[in-house]
Amino acid sequence: MDFRKQFFVGPGEKLKLAGIDPAHTGGHASSEEALPEIQKNVARMAELQALLYADGNQSLLVVLQALDAAGKDGVVRHLFSGMNPQGTRVYGFKQPSAEEAAHDFLWRAHQRTPARGEVAVFNRSHYEDVLVVRVHQLVPKAVWSKRYALINDFEKMLAENGTRILKFFLHISPEEQLLRFKQRLDDPARNWKISEGDYSEREFWSDYVGAYEEAMSKTSSKDAPWYVIPANHKWFRNLAISQIIVDTMEDMGLKLPPTRVDLQEIAVKYHAAEAAQEQRAGKTPKPPGKK
Amino acid sequence: MDFRKQFFVGPGEKLKLAGIDPAHTGGHASSEEALPEIQKNVARMAELQALLYADGNQSLLVVLQALDAAGKDGVVRHLFSGMNPQGTRVYGFKQPSAEEAAHDFLWRAHQRTPARGEVAVFNRSHYEDVLVVRVHQLVPKAVWSKRYALINDFEKMLAENGTRILKFFLHISPEEQLLRFKQRLDDPARNWKISEGDYSEREFWSDYVGAYEEAMSKTSSKDAPWYVIPANHKWFRNLAISQIIVDTMEDMGLKLPPTRVDLQEIAVKYHAAEAAQEQRAGKTPKPPGKK
């Protein structure tokens, strides 16, 4: 199954999240069955990231959006820990600082887009400015409703400059969220992560669903696709996202830079000169250069 | 053996790198023997990083310095790939941009120091301003010679604000470097990483040794220690550095934030309210909130 086809949000489509089963697992029976595939994908992601870095002409931007406890942090930990941290940056977008809030809403996102050769992961993103901002009416509708077009222009510019963009919405049910809150609360190592706000925010669930449906429908495109990932099962979420990332990076036409044949001659010269120097100096090799 | 004692550069000591064997392996016979210890350390580093993040009061800054091919990138890949990339940032310091060069030499380093809860790894660092800058006389001696004291003041300020600093010099022999250049040149996947400059820079080997000896001697302290790590054997280098990081982080007194007992009551209330709502709605659970 091509997950890129299966979970793609069609541009302008009348998206209804209620029609997508968050507990979907494809043909996979269990976590145990999927694990080897996930591990293969994670290993391949690390290889492709090294190749992206070596190639140096393109970049990858992964956007993770979801309601609380849907697994954004889990995706980062399970799928991106294997990548070389020198070429991979993960940014958690929190409430804007005073300086960030004093700029346009894309300003802080733009500062964190990946350089050529890099992977950037946005854990939350500029999409919060048409999600939480809309649900809690932090700006008037006249302002947030214009942002879909602004986001499209921004992402188009990134894409034209060599950035591949993948946007994932982690789709869980409200029951699954409540269950995960409870598990966190009962786990001394994660208890501190939870706040009363996590619970009270549940009252806005259907508002968030509406905001997500409109945002994804209006900003999904071939160059900056949205995927709705069934995420009640963490292992299926990891399988689908890793597979989409691998398939996308395989399509990027990444290549190693040309072999430096011109250096072979230079290297031979240096190696010969230093070998001669060693011989003159007797058995103990000496550091080269001025003494 | 406590590597932190064994490889520590004493503040103000008359350091002679020629007296330290780059092929040292401690009592370890082989890579195979060391591997389980390295793996244990890397796993523990990931746990401690998660704890550092949860604790949220301190940070860790790791500085990696060395001549070319001594293994800085290898340390990043082998030891830091396991950490959660959301709390770990690796910065490769290259030739300064025009904007960076127009500021004081600590400006760009300061922008990349770790926030509370974070780990930052500097692959090269502000130390290049007393190393390559000195060797190639990019500024007069009157300028670079004052920088040791400026660096000490800067790092002291970081330490007083909760940043643990660990500085590693990866110590290889010139013969080992030449061997690694040759291996890179013969490997199609890494051939592109090498340039003629890598070879010609070898003529300045002894100048670099002198610059490193003075820099480490003048900027090593209890709060910002330098360690000279024998690095001809990659596995011993990984063992020693990972052990020093683990030992240091174990000493930081990291703690989980207090358990939110106050939330248990709130959670019970929410769970009960939603269970009642589900019962009223019949068998199919409904999303909570406004409809």
Side-chain angles (χ1 to χ4, degrees), chain B residues 77-251:
Chain B
R77 199 170 54 250
H78 289 290
L79 303 187
F80 292 95
S81 284
M83 282 188 174
N84 188 329
Q86 183 135 331
T88 311
R89 310 228 174 270
V90 182
Y91 298 104
F93 285 83
K94 306 212 167 88
Q95 208 166 320
S97 70
E99 192 189 14
E100 289 170 347
H103 288 82
D104 70 85
F105 77 104
L106 293 169
W107 185 75
R108 64 176 183 158
H110 206 161
Q111 288 180 56
R112 290 164 176 82
T113 53
R116 280 187 288 274
E118 286 186 354
V119 175
V121 181
F122 286 4
N123 185 339
R124 302 188 187 274
S125 67
H126 47 294
Y127 281 94
E128 290 296 335
D129 293 283
V130 291
L131 295 166
V132 64
V133 162
R134 165 180 168 166
V135 167
H136 289 290
Q137 302 170 36
L138 304 180
V139 302
K141 178 169 183 178
V143 173
W144 60 252
S145 62
K146 287 190 187 124
R147 290 180 171 167
Y148 304 117
L150 300 173
I151 288 173
N152 286 338
D153 289 346
F154 172 60
E155 294 182 355
K156 186 163 174 246
M157 182 274 296
L158 296 178
E160 287 193 2
N161 280 278
T163 302
R164 277 288 179 120
I165 305 171
L166 295 174
K167 301 178 289 194
F168 297 104
F169 172 68
L170 315 185
H171 180 43
I172 59 167
S173 65
E175 295 74 29
E176 178 66 21
Q177 185 192 53
L178 198 61
L179 183 73
R180 293 186 186 182
F181 283 173
K182 186 88 180 69
Q183 288 166 344
R184 283 189 189 179
L185 212 48
D186 294 340
D187 178 353
R190 295 189 299 155
N191 176 293
W192 58 276
K193 285 187 186 178
I194 206 152
S195 71
E196 184 169 4
D198 293 334
Y199 281 99
S200 60
E201 201 67 359
R202 283 170 61 77
E203 292 170 29
F204 300 94
W205 189 281
S206 57
D207 293 341
Y208 274 111
V209 167
Y212 267 106
E213 285 170 345
E214 184 170 0
M216 289 194 277
S217 173
K218 287 194 167 161
T219 63
S220 192
S221 66
K222 202 180 130 285
D223 284 336
W226 270 109
Y227 300 101
V228 175
I229 305 293
N232 270 14
H233 296 282
K234 295 172 183 177
W235 58 268
F236 183 75
R237 171 201 79 197
N238 290 344
L239 175 66
I241 292 177
S242 63
Q243 189 64 53
I244 288 172
I245 292 173
V246 167
D247 290 346
T248 300
M249 293 185 82
E250 298 280 11
D251 281 353

Side-chain angles (χ1 to χ4, degrees), chain A residues 126-178:
Chain A
H126 46 293
Y127 282 94
E128 291 297 335
D129 293 283
V130 291
L131 296 166
V132 65
V133 162
R134 165 180 169 166
V135 168
H136 289 290
Q137 303 170 37
L138 304 180
V139 302
K141 178 169 183 178
V143 173
W144 61 252
S145 61
K146 287 192 188 123
R147 289 180 173 168
Y148 304 117
L150 299 172
I151 289 174
N152 285 338
D153 290 345
F154 172 60
E155 294 182 356
K156 186 163 175 249
M157 182 274 296
L158 296 178
E160 287 193 0
N161 280 277
T163 301
R164 277 288 180 119
I165 304 171
L166 295 174
K167 302 179 289 195
F168 297 103
F169 171 68
L170 315 184
H171 179 43
I172 59 168
S173 65
E175 296 74 29
E176 178 66 21
Q177 185 193 53
L178 198 62

Side-chain angles (χ1 to χ4, degrees), chain A residues 10-29:
Chain A
E13 92 173 53
K14 187 109 194 91
L15 178 65
K16 277 287 155 206
L17 287 174
I20 300 172
D21 180 10
H24 178 86
T25 59
H28 293 81

Side-chain angles (χ1 to χ4, degrees), chain A residues 241-258:
Chain A
I241 293 178
S242 63
Q243 189 63 52
I244 289 172
I245 292 173
V246 166
D247 290 346
T248 301
M249 294 185 82
E250 298 279 12
D251 282 353
M252 287 172 76
L254 301 171
K255 285 189 299 286
L256 287 171

